[in-house]
Amino acid sequence: MNTDSKLEQLSRRNFFKKTAQYSVGAIAAASVLSPVTMRADDPAIMEEKEWGTTLGDPVTKNKYGMPSVYEHNNTRRITKLLSSGNWQASIAMCPIHEQEGIITPNGLFFSRSHGGTAQIDPNEHRLMIHGLVEKPIVLTMDELKRYPSVTRIHFIECPANGGPEWRGPQFNSIQFAKGMMSCAQWTGVYVKTILEDLGLKPEALWMLAEGADNSHMGRTIPVDKVLDDAMIVWAQNGEALRPEQGYPIRILLPGWEGNLCVKWLNRLEFSAEPFYAKEETSKYTGLLPSGKAIQHFYPLEVNSIITSPCPEKPWTDLKKGDLVEIRGLAWSGQGTITGVDISFDGGKNFVEASLTGLVLPKSWTNFSYMYRYEGKPLLLQSRSRDDSGNVQPTIDQETAVVGVEHVYHRNSICTWEVTAKGEVNNVHIRS
Ligand SMILES: Nc1nc2c(c(=O)[nH]1)N[C@H]1C(S)=C(S)[C@@H](COP(=O)(O)O)O[C@H]1N2
Ligand SMILES: [Mo]
């Protein structure tokens, strides 16, 4: 059998399987989609507009291009509720409801720092690599960039993303409830490549990464992860890192807690024993209902969120019978997304969404489902799975294991309540 007919058979099989599962307002995959009402007599098409009758801006206007002024609402956002009393040790949340595709524009990447955004002169900056290596070294930024480079797409997520909501919804906003994450294409060098040159001693089991910013934030990372896929990155989406992301360099631990990805990186120290930075002994652990805590849990679990509709993108303009695309993001720090299911009734029944665009390990992945709007109240959910066999848990499943004092690593299924008017609210479903 040739590949084409095999594919055809497969898709037919999926088609029948899916149509059998379809419930409320679902669209058969083979039907012709016509999401807009046909209208060929819109007079706006005939109007002569100002931008068509006068000259546009000269190319000298923006040496560094900016978004259209009409996109002024698409910004990072801050709230006093998520700052520790000052705007230096704080967080600016990513507008993930405006996200198209899987690459977050650099100016919208979420930004979290403990001591403000350092403005570093790259000529003055150095990276020291020392401890249990044969050949300790201090590198300038130019020297670092002489090592062979790699380019990879990965998300960064603060493990506290969604953390304020363990006990119940706090924000009727996707940006504040889930915007402590972003995804970018990173360019840099694998730490293992540099270590081949420097020679890692066999006793080395841990690596301390430390930043040059005011917080001098340090995190200790198991050497296995370092030798797997840890990168020192200097570029983000085709240009130098932004200051907010750690210019001139940061460490990237794909799929692991965002706080391990030390920005403004200037020291890596290899050791036999973990050298815990002071915040690591009390913070970044997982408190369990028993009173015990998990000290080491670094990879972020399988997760997903519907970005359209959401509280910021309601369905209030839709009419009964309209076709609408449900869109969202799925990601896992433990592998590649293999599928996403959508529920309209708070998790009782599910149908399968399609994954659209690039499907990459430890990266955001887009999903889509065409839905016939019925103007009825819904409890919308997405549930993702990955190729390590993980399935996104319900709130009950998650809290049964980790309780509600846990703060970090919240990955349970989110629910949007869609009202009869098409408004969207952040709600929690518990049995
Ligand atoms: N040097 C340094 N690195 C740091 C931090 C910091 O305050 N200082 N914050 C960490 C935290 S808590 C997170 S979640 C990520 C956020 O990365 P971003 O600001 O690029 O989104 O950076 C981490 N790296
Ligand atoms: Mo964080």
Side-chain angles (χ1 to χ4, degrees):
M1 197 191 307
N2 69 27
T3 327
D4 277 358
S5 56
K6 215 184 249 169
L7 275 177
E8 200 180 306
Q9 264 208 350
L10 266 178
S11 62
R12 273 205 203 175
R13 205 177 302 148
N14 280 344
F15 172 76
F16 288 121
K17 202 173 86 197
K18 279 179 198 158
T19 32
Q21 285 174 356
Y22 281 163
S23 54
V24 273
I27 312 304
S31 70
V32 176
L33 300 182
S34 186
V36 289
T37 319
M38 295 298 165
R39 202 156 50 96
D41 57 350
D42 186 338
I45 190 67
M46 300 299 288
E47 281 162 23
E48 199 59 276
K49 299 290 195 308
E50 194 199 326
W51 48 81
T53 51
T54 54
L55 282 173
D57 296 332
V59 290
T60 47
K61 191 185 173 192
N62 286 323
K63 294 243 165 52
Y64 193 101
M66 295 296 288
S68 160
V69 291
Y70 300 102
E71 297 299 318
H72 60 85
N73 246 336
N74 189 11
T75 64
R76 290 189 280 238
R77 283 188 175 79
I78 51 172
T79 164
K80 281 190 177 153
L81 296 171
L82 294 175
S83 93
S84 45
N86 72 65
W87 297 118
Q88 266 90 24
S90 193
I91 183 152
M93 314 287 282
C94 180
I96 56 172
H97 54 291
E98 300 288 358
Q99 178 70 37
E100 304 282 358
I102 57 170
I103 300 294
T104 306
N106 290 340
L108 297 175
F109 205 97
F110 89 103
S111 169
R112 164 80 174 110
S113 69
H114 294 74
T117 299
Q119 299 289 348
I120 292 184
D121 177 346
N123 300 310
E124 301 284 315
H125 191 68
R126 299 290 183 273
L127 172 66
M128 175 158 81
I129 305 177
H130 67 135
L132 294 176
V133 286
E134 302 292 346
K135 215 169 53 166
I137 199 169
V138 176
L139 292 164
T140 66
M141 297 304 96
D142 286 342
E143 287 165 344
L144 176 71
K145 290 178 191 173
R146 268 182 234 149
Y147 283 101
S149 60
V150 280
T151 294
R152 310 263 311 164
I153 295 176
H154 292 298
F155 69 83
I156 293 182
E157 182 181 22
C158 175
N161 199 15
E165 304 208 318
W166 280 96
R167 288 191 173 77
Q170 302 294 320
F171 300 103
N172 211 17
S173 147
I174 192 176
Q175 187 163 8
F176 287 120
K178 224 55 186 178
M180 286 188 202
M181 58 167 181
S182 297
C183 188
Q185 177 191 263
W186 307 97
T187 301
V189 52
Y190 279 129
V191 181
K192 63 185 170 201
T193 305
I194 302 178
L195 287 176
E196 270 172 39
D197 185 19
L198 305 190
L200 185 65
K201 294 188 175 169
E203 317 87 89
L205 292 177
W206 298 90
M207 182 187 79
L208 172 76
E210 200 177 66
D213 58 316
N214 174 272
S215 76
H216 291 287
M217 183 163 152
R219 290 285 336 246
T220 316
I221 301 146
V223 103
D224 285 354
K225 174 67 174 176
V226 176
L227 295 177
D228 177 14
D229 60 357
M231 291 169 76
I232 299 169
V233 296
W234 55 77
Q236 170 187 0
N237 299 331
E239 63 176 359
L241 290 185
R242 289 291 172 88
E244 291 87 345
Q245 270 60 62
Y247 180 87
I249 51 169
R250 87 181 300 167
I251 191 150
L252 180 71
L253 286 310
W256 283 26
E257 298 180 331
N259 54 54
L260 294 162
C261 303
V262 171
K263 305 191 278 189
W264 310 293
L265 181 72
N266 78 332
R267 194 162 78 88
L268 297 177
E269 181 178 355
F270 289 89
S271 59
E273 297 292 328
F275 170 89
Y276 289 118
K278 62 177 186 306
E279 65 268 26
E280 286 186 287
T281 45
S282 54
K283 281 168 72 177
Y284 305 135
T285 56
L287 189 58
L288 295 173
S290 62
K292 290 193 171 170
I294 314 172
Q295 192 167 20
H296 304 293
F297 67 135
Y298 307 108
L300 294 164
E301 293 81 1
V302 68
N303 216 329
S304 73
I305 183 92
I306 292 174
T307 54
S308 187
C310 69
E312 285 94 329
K313 293 234 153 141
W315 277 348
T316 38
D317 289 343
L318 291 186
K319 293 180 306 298
K320 203 174 166 218
D322 280 352
L323 254 186
V324 63
E325 187 179 25
I326 296 170
R327 296 181 185 142
L329 295 167
W331 65 101
S332 169
Q334 297 173 314
T336 305
I337 292 297
T338 48
V340 177
D341 304 311
I342 307 278
S343 177
F344 298 90
D345 55 11
K348 291 190 194 89
N349 298 285
F350 283 92
V351 290
E352 199 174 359
S354 20
L355 302 184
T356 52
L358 290 172
V359 180
L360 299 169
K362 303 169 188 173
S363 166
W364 274 358
T365 303
N366 291 133
F367 63 85
S368 155
Y369 186 87
M370 290 306 291
Y371 174 69
R372 179 83 62 194
Y373 182 65
E374 294 181 323
K376 285 198 290 198
L378 302 171
L379 291 170
L380 254 189
Q381 297 184 335
S382 64
R383 179 184 67 190
S384 60
R385 43 206 146 82
D386 67 21
D387 64 354
S388 302
N390 303 300
V391 180
Q392 196 181 349
T394 63
I395 293 181
D396 285 340
Q397 285 164 343
E398 181 171 40
T399 52
V401 178
V402 298
V404 293
E405 306 286 343
H406 197 68
V407 183
Y408 299 110
H409 287 243
R410 199 159 165 272
N411 73 315
S412 47
I413 292 170
C414 300
T415 308
W416 298 140
E417 172 203 43
V418 183
T419 69
K421 287 184 182 150
E423 297 138 335
V424 179
N425 297 310
N426 179 13
V427 298
H428 279 192
I429 295 210
R430 297 212 161 99
S431 56

mmCIF file of all heavy atoms in Angstrom, residues 129-144:
data_model
loop_
_atom_site.group_PDB
_atom_site.id
_atom_site.type_symbol
_atom_site.label_atom_id
_atom_site.label_comp_id
_atom_site.label_asym_id
_atom_site.label_seq_id
_atom_site.Cartn_x
_atom_site.Cartn_y
_atom_site.Cartn_z
ATOM 1 N N ILE A 129 33.163 29.505 34.586
ATOM 2 C CA ILE A 129 32.758 28.106 34.731
ATOM 3 C C ILE A 129 33.862 27.433 35.537
ATOM 4 O O ILE A 129 35.018 27.383 35.096
ATOM 5 C CB ILE A 129 32.567 27.414 33.358
ATOM 6 C CG1 ILE A 129 31.578 28.217 32.504
ATOM 7 C CG2 ILE A 129 32.071 25.981 33.545
ATOM 8 C CD1 ILE A 129 31.352 27.672 31.103
ATOM 9 N N HIS A 130 33.508 26.939 36.733
ATOM 10 C CA HIS A 130 34.574 26.440 37.624
ATOM 11 C C HIS A 130 34.018 25.354 38.532
ATOM 12 O O HIS A 130 32.932 24.832 38.307
ATOM 13 C CB HIS A 130 35.179 27.616 38.409
ATOM 14 C CG HIS A 130 34.229 28.249 39.390
ATOM 15 N ND1 HIS A 130 34.583 28.572 40.676
ATOM 16 C CD2 HIS A 130 32.926 28.597 39.265
ATOM 17 C CE1 HIS A 130 33.531 29.112 41.287
ATOM 18 N NE2 HIS A 130 32.536 29.144 40.465
ATOM 19 N N GLY A 131 34.808 24.997 39.563
ATOM 20 C CA GLY A 131 34.435 23.862 40.413
ATOM 21 C C GLY A 131 35.043 22.594 39.846
ATOM 22 O O GLY A 131 36.206 22.600 39.428
ATOM 23 N N LEU A 132 34.260 21.523 39.789
ATOM 24 C CA LEU A 132 34.793 20.217 39.388
ATOM 25 C C LEU A 132 34.943 20.082 37.865
ATOM 26 O O LEU A 132 34.318 19.236 37.229
ATOM 27 C CB LEU A 132 33.914 19.100 39.951
ATOM 28 C CG LEU A 132 33.915 18.990 41.487
ATOM 29 C CD1 LEU A 132 32.941 17.923 41.960
ATOM 30 C CD2 LEU A 132 35.320 18.702 42.018
ATOM 31 N N VAL A 133 35.739 20.960 37.281
ATOM 32 C CA VAL A 133 36.105 20.851 35.862
ATOM 33 C C VAL A 133 37.636 20.865 35.773
ATOM 34 O O VAL A 133 38.298 21.471 36.608
ATOM 35 C CB VAL A 133 35.521 22.000 34.989
ATOM 36 C CG1 VAL A 133 34.044 21.826 34.761
ATOM 37 C CG2 VAL A 133 35.811 23.372 35.604
ATOM 38 N N GLU A 134 38.170 20.177 34.752
ATOM 39 C CA GLU A 134 39.635 20.106 34.589
ATOM 40 C C GLU A 134 40.226 21.485 34.310
ATOM 41 O O GLU A 134 41.317 21.804 34.747
ATOM 42 C CB GLU A 134 40.009 19.166 33.420
ATOM 43 C CG GLU A 134 39.494 17.725 33.536
ATOM 44 C CD GLU A 134 40.150 16.950 34.664
ATOM 45 O OE1 GLU A 134 41.178 17.406 35.193
ATOM 46 O OE2 GLU A 134 39.594 15.888 35.036
ATOM 47 N N LYS A 135 39.485 22.276 33.543
ATOM 48 C CA LYS A 135 40.018 23.533 33.021
ATOM 49 C C LYS A 135 39.033 24.658 33.327
ATOM 50 O O LYS A 135 38.202 24.995 32.496
ATOM 51 C CB LYS A 135 40.135 23.370 31.492
ATOM 52 C CG LYS A 135 41.302 24.050 30.847
ATOM 53 C CD LYS A 135 41.518 23.625 29.389
ATOM 54 C CE LYS A 135 40.340 23.745 28.464
ATOM 55 N NZ LYS A 135 40.605 23.638 27.049
ATOM 56 N N PRO A 136 39.097 25.238 34.541
ATOM 57 C CA PRO A 136 38.175 26.348 34.835
ATOM 58 C C PRO A 136 38.427 27.507 33.865
ATOM 59 O O PRO A 136 39.545 27.651 33.364
ATOM 60 C CB PRO A 136 38.523 26.766 36.270
ATOM 61 C CG PRO A 136 39.671 25.950 36.698
ATOM 62 C CD PRO A 136 40.024 24.956 35.643
ATOM 63 N N ILE A 137 37.375 28.304 33.632
ATOM 64 C CA ILE A 137 37.525 29.304 32.567
ATOM 65 C C ILE A 137 36.676 30.543 32.878
ATOM 66 O O ILE A 137 35.636 30.447 33.546
ATOM 67 C CB ILE A 137 37.134 28.677 31.202
ATOM 68 C CG1 ILE A 137 37.699 29.467 30.029
ATOM 69 C CG2 ILE A 137 35.635 28.518 31.082
ATOM 70 C CD1 ILE A 137 37.551 28.745 28.708
ATOM 71 N N VAL A 138 37.146 31.677 32.425
ATOM 72 C CA VAL A 138 36.336 32.901 32.443
ATOM 73 C C VAL A 138 36.192 33.352 30.994
ATOM 74 O O VAL A 138 37.198 33.551 30.313
ATOM 75 C CB VAL A 138 36.976 34.012 33.306
ATOM 76 C CG1 VAL A 138 36.156 35.293 33.218
ATOM 77 C CG2 VAL A 138 37.097 33.566 34.767
ATOM 78 N N LEU A 139 34.958 33.456 30.523
ATOM 79 C CA LEU A 139 34.710 33.754 29.107
ATOM 80 C C LEU A 139 34.140 35.156 28.919
ATOM 81 O O LEU A 139 33.274 35.589 29.701
ATOM 82 C CB LEU A 139 33.692 32.762 28.536
ATOM 83 C CG LEU A 139 34.109 31.294 28.387
ATOM 84 C CD1 LEU A 139 32.875 30.417 28.199
ATOM 85 C CD2 LEU A 139 35.063 31.128 27.217
ATOM 86 N N THR A 140 34.591 35.829 27.871
ATOM 87 C CA THR A 140 33.888 37.034 27.426
ATOM 88 C C THR A 140 32.701 36.573 26.580
ATOM 89 O O THR A 140 32.630 35.403 26.182
ATOM 90 C CB THR A 140 34.795 37.933 26.557
ATOM 91 O OG1 THR A 140 35.090 37.219 25.353
ATOM 92 C CG2 THR A 140 36.086 38.301 27.274
ATOM 93 N N MET A 141 31.812 37.479 26.275
ATOM 94 C CA MET A 141 30.637 37.102 25.470
ATOM 95 C C MET A 141 31.058 36.698 24.056
ATOM 96 O O MET A 141 30.505 35.778 23.473
ATOM 97 C CB MET A 141 29.606 38.234 25.428
ATOM 98 C CG MET A 141 29.021 38.589 26.799
ATOM 99 S SD MET A 141 28.263 37.188 27.650
ATOM 100 C CE MET A 141 29.562 36.610 28.710
ATOM 101 N N ASP A 142 32.066 37.365 23.499
ATOM 102 C CA ASP A 142 32.552 37.002 22.166
ATOM 103 C C ASP A 142 33.143 35.597 22.162
ATOM 104 O O ASP A 142 32.937 34.829 21.223
ATOM 105 C CB ASP A 142 33.609 38.009 21.675
ATOM 106 C CG ASP A 142 32.962 39.328 21.274
ATOM 107 O OD1 ASP A 142 31.738 39.321 21.062
ATOM 108 O OD2 ASP A 142 33.679 40.340 21.193
ATOM 109 N N GLU A 143 33.891 35.277 23.220
ATOM 110 C CA GLU A 143 34.492 33.935 23.297
ATOM 111 C C GLU A 143 33.417 32.862 23.415
ATOM 112 O O GLU A 143 33.482 31.823 22.770
ATOM 113 C CB GLU A 143 35.460 33.864 24.489
ATOM 114 C CG GLU A 143 36.745 34.628 24.245
ATOM 115 C CD GLU A 143 37.551 34.885 25.515
ATOM 116 O OE1 GLU A 143 36.997 34.754 26.637
ATOM 117 O OE2 GLU A 143 38.732 35.219 25.390
ATOM 118 N N LEU A 144 32.411 33.145 24.225
ATOM 119 C CA LEU A 144 31.322 32.170 24.394
ATOM 120 C C LEU A 144 30.672 31.853 23.048
ATOM 121 O O LEU A 144 30.376 30.693 22.739
ATOM 122 C CB LEU A 144 30.270 32.743 25.362
ATOM 123 C CG LEU A 144 29.031 31.885 25.563
ATOM 124 C CD1 LEU A 144 29.369 30.635 26.369
ATOM 125 C CD2 LEU A 144 27.917 32.670 26.264
#
